[in-house]
Amino acid sequence: MTEATRTILGNATVIPLDGRRQILDPGHVVVEAGRIATVAAGAWPEGETPAARRIDLDGAALIPGLIDLHLHAGHGLTKNLGGDVDAWMETVGDVYARHADAEFWAADAALQALERTLGGTTLAVPFFGGGDNVMRTEDTACAEAHLREIEASGLREILVLGVDRPPFPKPRRAWADGRAVERSMSLSDQIAAIGTLAGRWRGAGQGLIDIAVSAPVIGEAEFAVADGPLQAALRETTAAAWALAQGSGSRFIQDGHRDGSVAFMAETFGLFDRRSVLAHCIDLTEADIATFVERGAGAAYTPSSLMAVFGYCPAPRLLAEGLRVGLGTDGPAPDRSLDMFRTMFMGHRHQAIRWKDPSAIDAWTILEMATLGGAKALGLDHELGSIEPGKLADLVAVSRRGAHLQPRDLPVHRLVFFANAADVSLVMVAGRVLAENGRPSALEAGAVLDRAERAYRLMKERAGL
């Protein structure tokens, strides 16, 4: 099937998530040239229709593609390494800096693409690296290897390329023909590489691929105890990343905001606008929230993350302030998956526990954050996030046949509280079917899994794990 094919997705329970909180049961959607042409009640269009492929969804819930607003490349092959959380962070940082070659990043990308496809995540925003601020951006071969796999998968992605936390230079190890080459990495190396990658990959994959820029989150306490040279380096690093984002028209996305850091970084470094997305956002101060409102930044709520264990993200308050809030898995390591349904359930439970009130946030709001909320945070809601005529046809069907999803009524509640990634039956991106009947069509699952296992074993051997 190509993007130009006319397709009718019929006999569905259509949940448009267009702001009206309506359900069409039964309903159908017509897709033409990669976009949604018709959204209507009735199992199928009435009367004669032009030639089209007809897909009977057998009562499945048809929703917009899920948007994972915060996750990490590389983490697919580093699950639980090193034992406890602190050891994991140290181990992962070492792996990314010294033991991960281009094939590691490619195999991880293919593995994550497979998991996203089967789970209905049509757009993801991964950081290229992580684990104690190790962003593997200076070696363009690594990011190129990742991006080629994502392009081949047919999924959407905004890859976040960041600079490391100073001081510089930092030791790095590259690999060529199985041999290690020791290098010294500077801030300018990372900035130059990010610019090169943005120039090559923005709009690739027929518009499915984009690049964003990041810099480390700096708290007021960290900055205050830094000596003069380190403070100067923190300023230089942040300014360079922000200038690159602004100059290239890239989104500016950060990982790890908490407890005053939003207001501090805005005031100290002059950051944030409507093209900024800030992840985690736990224990926000009133000044943080005021900064969100003033600068218009979006937020990624990550209820399954480790940061959600250590602090509280006031997602309902942010929404009440009119802010743009989406959901992220922060996965798929050390101890979580890329299952956005699991993340939705955790989002509800996280708020219910915080307020000791199961009605602290409702199922509709959670599902909206996983779809239209993510699109709004990224400034893409004019094209994605809801099932409306004219929008891109990123669509996901979720089977309602499982025992855990019965009875058949209350479909939004069934999706948020009971469904899981294994219930996804069909995935479409820009009108192209990427999975049908729970099986991928653009990826060969067995080959992806075998490749991931080989890359994992080689990485462990090199790292002595």
Side-chain angles (χ1 to χ4, degrees):
M1 174 182 169
T2 68
E3 289 82 348
T5 302
R6 187 171 190 272
T7 305
I8 303 173
L9 303 174
N11 192 23
T13 300
V14 181
I15 308 174
L17 292 163
D18 57 4
R20 294 182 289 174
R21 294 195 170 182
Q22 63 174 334
I23 298 173
L24 306 177
D25 189 10
H28 66 272
V29 172
V30 180
V31 175
E32 293 185 8
R35 291 187 178 270
I36 298 165
T38 304
V39 184
W44 300 97
E46 295 182 358
E48 294 187 13
T49 59
R53 182 186 181 198
R54 295 164 68 93
I55 300 178
D56 187 341
L57 294 181
D58 191 28
L62 187 65
I63 60 174
L66 298 169
I67 297 175
D68 189 342
L69 200 53
H70 181 67
L71 64 159
H72 291 268
H75 281 16
L77 295 182
T78 58
K79 300 182 183 79
N80 296 113
L81 286 180
D84 63 25
V85 171
D86 291 338
W88 176 80
M89 291 288 286
E90 182 178 350
T91 299
V92 170
D94 182 56
V95 165
Y96 292 169
R98 301 173 62 236
H99 310 298
D101 59 10
E103 174 58 16
F104 170 93
W105 294 105
D108 172 85
L111 181 65
Q112 291 201 37
L114 179 63
E115 186 175 356
R116 290 184 221 162
T117 299
L118 294 177
T121 296
T122 56
L123 168 59
V125 187
F127 275 63
F128 195 62
D132 197 26
N133 293 285
V134 176
M135 297 290 125
R136 194 62 193 268
T137 49
E138 88 294 344
D139 188 343
T140 57
C142 293
E144 295 264 9
H146 169 98
L147 288 162
R148 282 194 295 269
E149 297 301 324
I150 299 301
E151 182 180 31
S153 75
L155 294 169
R156 294 187 195 278
E157 180 173 289
I158 301 172
L159 183 63
V160 185
L161 299 172
V163 295
D164 278 38
R165 187 178 301 275
F168 291 93
K170 292 184 180 294
R172 288 288 186 270
R173 178 180 294 167
W175 292 86
D177 300 323
R179 305 181 75 173
V181 179
E182 303 297 336
R183 294 177 175 173
S184 179
M185 182 192 75
S186 67
L187 172 62
S188 61
D189 290 335
Q190 289 194 310
I191 292 295
I194 294 170
T196 297
L197 289 163
R200 289 177 184 169
W201 283 92
R202 174 155 295 142
Q206 299 182 358
L208 300 179
I209 305 294
D210 201 357
I211 301 296
V213 179
S214 184
V217 171
I218 301 165
E220 184 173 7
E222 174 192 356
F223 192 75
V225 299
D227 60 22
L230 181 53
Q231 283 194 355
L234 290 168
R235 287 186 182 276
E236 179 189 16
T237 299
T238 305
W242 178 249
L244 178 59
Q246 295 293 98
S248 63
S250 302
R251 294 173 181 83
F252 185 75
I253 302 180
Q254 285 190 295
D255 175 11
H257 273 286
R258 63 184 303 171
D259 193 19
S261 62
V262 177
F264 173 75
M265 293 200 76
E267 179 180 356
T268 306
F269 306 111
L271 305 182
F272 312 136
D273 56 19
R274 288 192 63 82
R275 290 181 64 78
S276 304
V277 180
L278 312 182
H280 298 302
C281 302
I282 63 170
D283 297 338
L284 296 179
T285 65
E286 288 299 320
D288 287 332
I289 294 173
T291 301
F292 263 109
V293 173
E294 176 191 349
R295 305 291 170 103
Y301 174 34
T302 57
S304 297
S305 69
L306 291 171
M307 287 194 76
V309 176
F310 304 132
Y312 168 69
C313 174
R317 168 77 185 280
L318 298 179
L319 291 168
E321 294 284 351
L323 299 173
R324 299 169 297 137
V325 184
L327 280 180
T329 62
D330 197 29
D335 56 4
R336 52 197 165 272
S337 70
L338 296 178
D339 186 340
M340 283 289 288
F341 295 93
R342 181 163 126 173
T343 299
M344 283 191 275
F345 175 79
M346 287 293 292
H348 176 271
R349 191 59 84 237
H350 189 222
Q351 298 297 330
I353 291 171
R354 172 63 174 79
W355 297 107
K356 295 181 172 55
D357 179 5
S359 65
I361 195 166
D362 63 85
W364 274 99
T365 299
I366 292 286
L367 187 56
E368 287 164 350
M369 281 196 290
T371 52
L372 187 58
K376 286 181 176 179
L378 295 166
L380 294 173
D381 49 305
H382 62 295
E383 291 277 48
L384 300 171
S386 61
I387 305 178
E388 299 180 76
K391 286 195 172 184
L392 290 164
D394 287 16
L395 302 168
V396 170
V398 185
S399 173
R400 301 172 68 200
R401 285 293 189 183
H404 58 297
L405 296 171
Q406 296 295 318
R408 254 190 111 259
D409 62 353
L410 301 172
V412 171
H413 292 75
R414 300 290 180 261
L415 291 178
V416 171
F417 299 134
F418 299 98
N420 59 66
D423 297 314
V424 171
S425 58
L426 180 137
V427 178
M428 175 181 282
V429 172
R432 179 188 178 195
V433 175
L434 301 183
E436 193 168 2
N437 299 318
R439 289 187 288 273
S441 52
L443 295 165
E444 205 291 291
V448 169
L449 299 178
D450 291 343
R451 183 183 187 185
E453 184 66 24
R454 289 193 298 272
Y456 176 71
R457 290 183 180 278
L458 178 59
M459 174 272 293
K460 285 182 66 179
E461 178 183 336
R462 288 174 174 170
L465 296 172

